[in-house]
Amino acid sequence: MTTVETMKAAVVTALDAPWEVKAVPRPRPGPAQVLIRVRASGLCYTDVHLSQGGLLPLELPAVLGHEPVGEIVEIGSAVRTRKVGDRVGTSALQAGCGRCEWCSRGDIIDCADQKLLMIHRFGGHAEYLVAEEAATMLLPDGLSFEQAAPIFCAGNTVWSGLRAAEPLPGARVAVVGIGGLGHLALQYAKAAGFRAIAITRSKDKHALSRELGADEVVEDGEALARIGGADVILSTANSYRTASDALRGLRPRGSLVVMGAAGPEEDLVIPNRTVFPQMMVNRQKILFSQQNGREFVHEAVQLAASGKIRVLTETYSLDDARKAYDRVSAGAVRFRAVLVP
Ligand SMILES: [Zn+2]
Ligand SMILES: [Zn+2]
């Protein structure tokens, strides 16, 4: 008789319903996979979109979580570059098809047949996780699990977006939305030597923005223009309105990088009367960015390990996953909720 080993996980059993913390079968690693004992797993607003039936269809029951870190406790028979005891993290994207044009270019982020945590296999909000050996990244010594987890989505997202804009040395980088992504965007901009500017109408975020590294804090695009504008505007909010307004402060050849998705009812508007002519004349760009490749995860993790990035976290036990989810979906978390199984 064989007994199936189980693990505790936060399970989505129905769309738009509370997560259930319960026992599920513990996954076993295939030949090129590793089994990770999850030590921290960050919650992302993407978890909310997916739980509500947005972005991609979920096969239920599902376990979400796409910024997990932990220790390898078992390796598959073909694994050569990872060993039991390694501290690693991984992201949602586990593998491409290996056969299409994009995979052939080494660019699995554009593959149409990706294997993703949460969608094709259980994600990180659990005691254990199976990941592809090739999709794991070693954690530098001295970077704690709790600090490392949010880098694998949030940190990677903001750093990928900033790098996508290809800012020149000394560039002025403005951040819209000082939340889960934005509080990291300010820190990454500053850590990389750029001039960091926070755009926020929340008075209570002015002092905090400066603590996070903002050289200047302004209320809107007009105020941004008055202080000399920005070469890069990183839009990290779950709404496009502030980003549209901030365009008034974009410098010639500057880029707006959109990395936070709004709800289905909201369009990104380029105001014709105020902004459109300026964007034409000054040859400005709007870029859309998510996580643009493995090199940026590496850079984001290294900057975090250098001590220049401090993720502001609220930690929850796996048993409290439902409470953590409710706070994320209500926008109440300051600034990243992390499950610590
Ligand atoms: Zn995410
Ligand atoms: Zn492919």
Side-chain angles (χ1 to χ4, degrees):
M1 196 183 87
T2 55
T3 54
V4 177
E5 282 188 282
T6 62
M7 66 172 182
K8 203 190 282 180
V11 185
V12 183
T13 53
L15 294 181
D16 247 335
W19 293 356
E20 284 179 40
V21 177
K22 61 181 192 178
V24 295
R26 185 195 293 188
R28 300 295 313 274
Q33 298 174 333
V34 298
L35 182 68
I36 298 168
R37 182 176 164 239
V38 178
R39 297 291 302 272
S41 180
L43 274 82
C44 173
Y45 206 81
T46 298
D47 293 345
V48 176
H49 286 307
L50 290 170
S51 295
Q52 294 174 346
L55 298 181
L56 285 168
L58 275 186
E59 199 170 300
L60 301 176
V63 174
L64 304 185
H66 54 280
E67 38 182 47
V69 298
E71 288 146 347
I72 293 180
V73 292
E74 189 182 340
I75 61 172
S77 58
V79 170
R80 294 290 175 267
T81 67
R82 297 289 181 269
K83 59 186 194 305
V84 169
D86 278 345
R87 301 166 76 244
V88 295
T90 192
S91 300
L93 180 53
Q94 294 290 297
C97 72
R99 300 179 69 90
C100 70
E101 175 192 349
W102 307 110
C103 286
S104 300
R105 290 177 184 275
D107 179 19
I108 65 172
I109 199 138
D110 290 314
C111 175
D113 188 17
Q114 297 172 340
K115 293 290 171 278
L116 299 165
L117 293 186
M118 312 182 289
I119 308 297
H120 302 106
R121 76 176 63 142
F122 283 175
H125 300 332
E127 290 177 303
Y128 293 90
L129 170 80
V130 161
E132 300 297 321
E133 171 190 21
T136 63
M137 187 164 286
L138 295 169
L139 300 183
D141 293 340
L143 182 61
S144 72
F145 288 120
E146 184 190 315
Q147 284 291 302
I151 305 303
F152 281 84
C153 177
N156 180 20
T157 298
V158 300
W159 182 247
S160 291
L162 179 53
R163 293 277 272 109
E166 300 181 345
L168 295 174
R172 299 166 62 83
V173 177
V175 177
V176 170
I178 311 303
L181 292 178
H183 91 287
L184 293 176
L186 278 178
Q187 295 184 63
Y188 272 105
K190 190 66 184 172
F194 301 113
R195 191 152 182 90
I197 303 163
I199 304 179
T200 176
R201 283 197 162 85
S202 313
K203 283 269 185 281
D204 61 321
K205 287 189 176 163
H206 283 212
L208 175 73
S209 296
R210 288 187 188 278
E211 276 169 42
L212 294 169
D215 298 294
E216 289 164 285
V217 182
V218 295
E219 298 235 314
D220 56 20
E222 209 173 284
L224 177 63
R226 277 201 301 275
I227 63 161
D231 301 290
V232 178
I233 297 171
L234 303 176
S235 174
T236 69
N238 295 323
S239 160
Y240 303 131
R241 271 183 291 279
T242 326
S244 280
D245 172 78
L247 282 169
R248 290 184 292 167
L250 194 58
R251 299 187 70 222
R253 295 164 63 177
S255 301
L256 165 68
V257 186
V258 180
M259 59 185 79
E265 295 81 27
E266 195 190 335
D267 294 324
L268 172 62
V269 175
I270 310 299
N272 198 23
R273 198 167 49 80
T274 49
V275 174
F276 199 92
Q278 162 212 311
M279 292 199 75
M280 295 272 290
V281 168
N282 293 329
R283 304 171 323 286
Q284 295 167 339
K285 298 186 198 99
I286 298 179
L287 305 174
F288 294 83
S289 174
Q290 42 147 334
Q291 296 169 1
N292 304 335
R294 193 172 166 86
E295 64 188 296
F296 305 115
V297 188
H298 171 73
E299 292 171 358
V301 166
Q302 293 303 315
L303 274 167
S306 77
K308 291 177 176 164
I309 308 296
R310 183 170 54 99
V311 188
L312 300 180
T313 58
E314 294 181 1
T315 56
Y316 296 86
S317 69
L318 193 50
D319 288 323
D320 284 335
R322 184 186 290 198
K323 183 171 153 200
Y325 174 86
D326 288 343
R327 281 182 58 77
V328 172
S329 73
V333 173
R334 296 210 150 185
F335 284 93
R336 203 72 176 170
V338 177
L339 299 179
V340 185

